[in-house]
Amino acid sequence: MAKAVLQTAKLTWKVFDKTIIKNIDFTLNQGETVAIVGPNGAGKTSLLKCLHGEHQNYSGAVTLNGKPLSTIKNKDVAKKIAVVSQQNQSTFDLSVIDIVRMGLIPHKNFFDGDNQSDLQKIQFALSKVDLLAKQQQVFNTLSGGEQQRVLIAQAIVQAANILIMDEPTNHLDIYYQHQILNLVKSLNITLLITIHDLNLAAEYCDRIVLMDKGLVIADDSPEQVFTSENLKKVFNLECAIDANPFTNKPRITFANNIPRLQGDI
């Protein structure tokens, strides 16, 4: 039987009087790879932030391993959940090894230095993402794909059993999109991501959560969620769905007959 590690019940989060997500019941099971998809403004990132404790002024419940998330210290949450967000480059004027070392923070006291075991963990993580040779390079000088690999190495050092990633393939070319998703799948941990590319979601994920206007529209396997009816309802575009000839997973093609905006030439 699947073990639930992260759950919500009737989760609602508002900004002033505007409801961003509403009455969401969600379960993330141990070992799953789950994608949250939907149009801009659907509430995907807001849901992630509630799930790892960044947003706390919600109603309803969020539980981590059966305990209310609000009762768990941030440091203890970080021992269970690693988060790779869409980063602002200006905040990363540090070397690769310094970024990866941050994964140790939940496991250390303020004045603790690095011991031999810590250094081995850092070197192992850098080796896992194939960045040992660039450990002294400044993070901001790396390519987008390399930056994502550094942040994944940080998560490896953090040793959490749940990895949450917000748009991990954003701004990456096709090769690096697949490289990053293959890498995180190889870690064999519970993975929750938001992603815009529905075909990548179908390819790499066990379950799809389709959101729109703060609501969960569907939550099931890619084959069950990615139907023409569901996608037309959410994205307001006709689409065709067939099978990827390499993997037999759903492959989605949207129609290009998009109405012109007023003022288009």
Side-chain angles (χ1 to χ4, degrees):
M1 183 176 179
K3 177 186 176 183
V5 292
L6 198 54
Q7 289 183 290
T8 72
K10 304 300 180 187
L11 178 65
T12 297
W13 183 69
K14 298 180 179 181
V15 176
F16 299 109
D17 293 329
K18 181 176 176 60
T19 300
I20 308 300
I21 54 176
K22 182 177 180 181
N23 290 336
I24 291 183
D25 295 324
F26 169 76
T27 297
L28 180 66
N29 296 309
Q30 185 175 351
E32 282 186 311
T33 299
V34 177
I36 303 175
V37 303
N40 291 338
K44 305 183 294 295
T45 297
S46 296
L47 175 56
L48 288 192
K49 289 181 176 181
C50 289
L51 286 170
H52 66 77
E54 184 172 342
H55 290 336
Q56 298 181 340
N57 56 332
Y58 52 76
S59 62
V62 180
T63 56
L64 173 61
N65 295 322
K67 296 180 180 179
L69 189 66
S70 59
T71 68
I72 306 174
K73 295 179 181 178
N74 290 341
K75 191 170 185 177
D76 291 329
V77 171
K79 292 177 182 178
K80 302 293 183 182
I81 302 175
V83 180
V84 176
S85 301
Q86 297 184 50
Q87 75 275 11
N88 181 342
Q89 282 194 332
S90 64
T91 64
F92 287 97
D93 290 323
L94 297 170
S95 69
V96 167
I97 195 168
D98 287 334
I99 298 293
V100 176
R101 183 180 283 113
M102 290 178 183
L104 294 169
I105 291 174
H107 306 281
K108 311 279 281 186
N109 293 318
F110 186 76
F111 293 106
D112 286 347
D114 294 342
N115 55 39
Q116 189 61 35
S117 175
D118 296 332
L119 296 174
Q120 288 174 350
K121 290 174 183 176
I122 292 169
Q123 294 299 302
F124 170 80
L126 286 167
S127 175
K128 185 77 174 176
V129 302
D130 196 24
L131 285 174
L132 271 173
K134 296 192 176 185
Q135 59 185 291
Q136 299 301 333
Q137 192 164 329
V138 174
F139 180 87
N140 284 347
T141 65
L142 301 177
S143 68
E146 288 171 332
Q147 289 181 355
Q148 285 289 57
R149 283 154 54 196
V150 171
L151 297 176
I152 292 167
Q154 182 190 96
I156 293 171
V157 169
Q158 193 170 328
N161 52 23
I162 301 170
L163 176 59
I164 291 178
M165 305 184 77
D166 190 11
E167 296 293 344
T169 60
N170 204 21
H171 305 307
L172 301 183
D173 65 31
I174 293 172
Y175 176 84
Y176 285 115
Q177 289 173 4
H178 286 276
Q179 182 192 63
I180 292 301
L181 292 173
N182 271 303
L183 174 58
V184 293
K185 287 284 284 185
S186 74
L187 301 178
N188 294 319
I189 62 175
T190 306
L191 178 63
L192 177 64
I193 67 174
T194 62
I195 192 166
H196 277 295
D197 191 314
L198 304 187
N199 288 311
L200 285 175
E203 196 67 33
Y204 287 94
C205 297
D206 308 310
R207 257 176 60 211
I208 306 294
V209 178
L210 178 62
M211 292 187 66
D212 190 30
K213 298 181 177 67
L215 300 171
V216 171
I217 305 303
D219 179 355
D220 210 322
S221 67
E223 291 79 8
Q224 294 299 315
V225 171
F226 289 147
T227 66
S228 298
E229 181 180 3
N230 282 342
L231 297 180
K232 173 66 185 300
K233 178 180 180 180
V234 168
F235 294 101
N236 197 32
L237 283 172
E238 300 290 346
C239 67
I241 300 172
D242 58 7
N244 184 317
F246 297 103
T247 63
N248 208 36
K249 295 290 185 71
R251 182 176 60 180
I252 302 149
T253 305
F254 283 100
N256 61 2
N257 56 334
I258 302 173
R260 285 188 174 185
L261 295 173
Q262 187 175 6
D264 277 359
I265 297 176

